[in-house]
Amino acid sequence: MNEWPVVRLDEIAAAEKSAVSKPYGSAIVRDDYVRDGVPVVRGVNLADWRFRDEDFVFISEDLADTMPGSRLQPGDLVFTHRGSVGQVSMIPRGPRFPRYAVSTSQVKARLDPARALAEFYFYWFRSPVGRASILQGVSTVGVPGLARPVETIKGLRVPLPPLSEQRRIASVLGVLDDLIEVEERAAAQADELWRVVLAAARHDRESVPLSSLASFVNGKNFTKGGGTHGLPVIRTPEVRNGPTSSTVLNDVRASAENLADPGDILFVWSGSLLASRWRWAQGLVNQHIFKVIPNMGVPDWLVLWAIEELMGDFLSLAADKATTMGHIKRADLDRVVNVPARSAWEDLDAMIRPYWDDALSAQMHASDVAAARDELLPLLMSGRVRVSEDLAVA
């Protein structure tokens, strides 16, 4: 175990008064938004532990100047204190914009570079212990949040390894994150390419019911009786982001049609509708999710593409039922979609299959690296695994 001293976060914060702060003095509200100006960093920019340098709202330079505590700079940590409490991200070292502002649902923390490396503490708060240190201060009355966000963030207890060790740990984890990003980008490019090939195809078209292309097998309530052993239960969050520490496990026996393996197509038909190719290890398909099994001779890429073509219609249908829970009915699967003529499928598959397979392979590799990173992270942060000076794990 490590023998690192433990300090309060504000003990390693930068010297300026607003090193740990939120935009006091003026609240940013919707009426303050302008077309161009200073981008406001919100929860949507911090999802999945990544800083998403897009989907911003903007405020004017003049308004931002009235809130000096809201100013963000490269290396600042950003904590969500209301709603998705526990979200933490870091303003990138090579930012897209010269200036950012933190929203009223976030708190920034600027660390003293002479004592603390922002990247290390970004990873610390991703670890189970670091994340738990934030969540223990959450009030669950109404919208989850920290009652005194700035004071809570200032008082978080964190380890203080030597700066050289902080750099080595952050470097190892950063290399893994870089590899994940490369694989994710490769998968996105391959997925885009097969869709480009399909869109550019000059073949005859025919209109067919979506239900004629595949079987849509509804999942079962595998969360009932679930626990901490067995296969992961695939709910909407898992379809979107894969299994996490909060995923329910179940060791129940299930038929093949209720199991999802890498490459299988899943269609969430209730709540937040989405269709996606499963990329993680085998799991149990929960209720409100279809496992989509292509009919004999129908390419899997064609089935996913056809669902995506109708997704706008499905979303409209679900919105009409939003007073309960937005969903579609099985009869809606009989909607007609315009697809290439069956005579063209073999030729198209010869062109599309390599891209489809490359995308899945890259996604699976990214998921494997992410799993290895997540296993290594708490070991590094606890000192049970040390990093030597040449960045080899000792």
Side-chain angles (χ1 to χ4, degrees):
M1 298 294 290
N2 70 62
E3 298 179 357
W4 302 328
V6 176
V7 299
R8 285 169 49 108
L9 189 67
D10 60 357
E11 293 181 62
I12 55 172
E16 61 256 40
K17 182 179 179 180
S18 64
V20 181
S21 63
K22 55 180 283 193
Y24 287 115
S26 176
I28 300 172
V29 297
R30 188 173 299 276
D31 290 344
D32 294 322
Y33 297 160
V34 296
R35 184 177 297 274
D36 294 298
V38 178
V40 179
V41 175
R42 303 171 295 159
V44 68
N45 306 111
L46 311 179
D48 305 328
W49 298 102
R50 300 177 181 177
F51 182 76
R52 300 181 183 276
D53 214 352
E54 57 189 10
D55 297 327
F56 290 112
V57 296
F58 297 86
I59 58 173
S60 68
E61 296 272 354
D62 290 342
L63 177 58
D65 288 341
T66 68
M67 299 179 290
S70 74
R71 183 185 291 269
L72 292 167
Q73 67 184 36
D76 284 350
L77 300 178
V78 184
F79 299 78
T80 296
H81 68 80
R82 186 175 185 273
S84 301
V85 182
Q87 279 188 152
V88 183
S89 192
M90 190 187 83
I91 304 300
R93 298 293 185 181
R96 175 182 166 199
F97 292 91
R99 180 180 181 186
Y100 296 86
V102 65
S103 84
T104 50
S105 293
Q106 273 70 41
V107 172
K108 79 170 187 191
R110 182 170 302 154
L111 304 182
D112 177 2
R115 303 186 67 199
L117 181 70
E119 285 82 354
F120 172 83
Y121 289 97
F122 165 62
Y123 284 116
W124 160 255
F125 287 112
R126 289 176 70 167
S127 72
V129 175
R131 183 173 170 80
S133 70
I134 302 173
L135 296 179
Q136 68 182 2
V138 174
S139 169
T140 57
V141 178
V143 177
L146 301 177
R148 303 176 65 196
V150 173
E151 290 76 9
T152 299
I153 299 302
K154 285 182 176 180
L156 292 174
R157 307 287 290 179
V158 297
L160 184 60
L163 195 57
S164 59
E165 191 157 8
Q166 293 180 37
R167 291 195 184 98
R168 292 197 296 272
I169 291 172
S171 294
V172 168
L173 295 169
V175 166
L176 295 177
D177 270 343
D178 288 345
L179 179 56
I180 293 168
E181 185 175 348
V182 168
E183 294 289 358
E184 295 283 11
R185 190 161 51 244
Q189 290 172 345
D191 271 333
E192 182 179 359
L193 284 169
W194 74 255
R195 288 183 171 90
V196 167
V197 170
L198 186 55
R202 295 292 184 263
H203 296 90
D204 292 337
R205 298 268 171 164
E206 58 185 33
S207 296
V208 300
L210 176 62
S211 57
S212 71
L213 299 176
S215 298
F216 292 76
V217 181
N218 195 22
K220 296 183 178 180
N221 185 9
F222 289 116
T223 56
K224 184 178 181 180
T228 58
H229 300 285
L231 296 176
V233 178
I234 303 171
R235 303 161 298 173
T236 301
E238 284 76 23
V239 174
R240 184 174 283 110
N241 297 313
T244 67
S245 58
S246 62
T247 297
V248 177
L249 304 180
N250 199 323
D251 57 6
V252 66
R253 293 178 64 87
S255 61
E257 64 182 11
N258 292 129
L259 295 169
D261 290 298
D264 285 341
I265 298 169
L266 301 180
F267 179 12
V268 180
W269 58 267
S270 180
S272 301
L273 272 62
L274 70 131
S276 180
R277 176 179 50 212
W278 183 249
R279 55 189 283 187
W280 293 275
Q282 188 179 72
L284 297 159
V285 182
N286 207 46
Q287 60 185 354
H288 305 306
I289 299 173
F290 289 129
K291 177 180 177 180
V292 186
I293 305 172
N295 290 338
M296 184 69 68
V298 182
D300 42 9
W301 50 262
L302 181 64
V303 173
L304 178 59
W305 178 83
I307 297 171
E308 292 173 345
E309 286 290 287
L310 292 174
M311 189 59 75
D313 291 345
F314 292 149
L315 289 170
S316 296
L317 291 167
D320 291 339
K321 303 179 179 68
T323 53
T324 53
M325 176 180 284
H327 64 276
I328 62 170
K329 298 179 179 179
R330 183 169 288 277
D332 295 323
L333 300 174
D334 293 330
R335 292 205 161 216
V336 171
V337 60
N338 195 11
V339 301
R342 182 177 291 269
S343 59
W345 292 357
E346 185 175 350
D347 289 342
L348 283 171
D349 191 64
M351 293 185 287
I352 288 174
R353 181 63 52 188
Y355 297 127
W356 175 272
D357 290 345
D358 285 350
L360 178 60
S361 177
Q363 287 178 330
M364 292 174 63
H365 189 209
S367 299
D368 289 344
V369 176
R373 177 205 59 202
D374 292 344
E375 289 183 11
L376 182 60
L377 179 60
L379 299 176
L380 288 172
M381 292 301 171
S382 67
R384 284 179 288 172
V385 170
R386 308 301 286 265
V387 182
S388 66
E389 293 187 5
D390 62 357
L391 298 184
V393 178

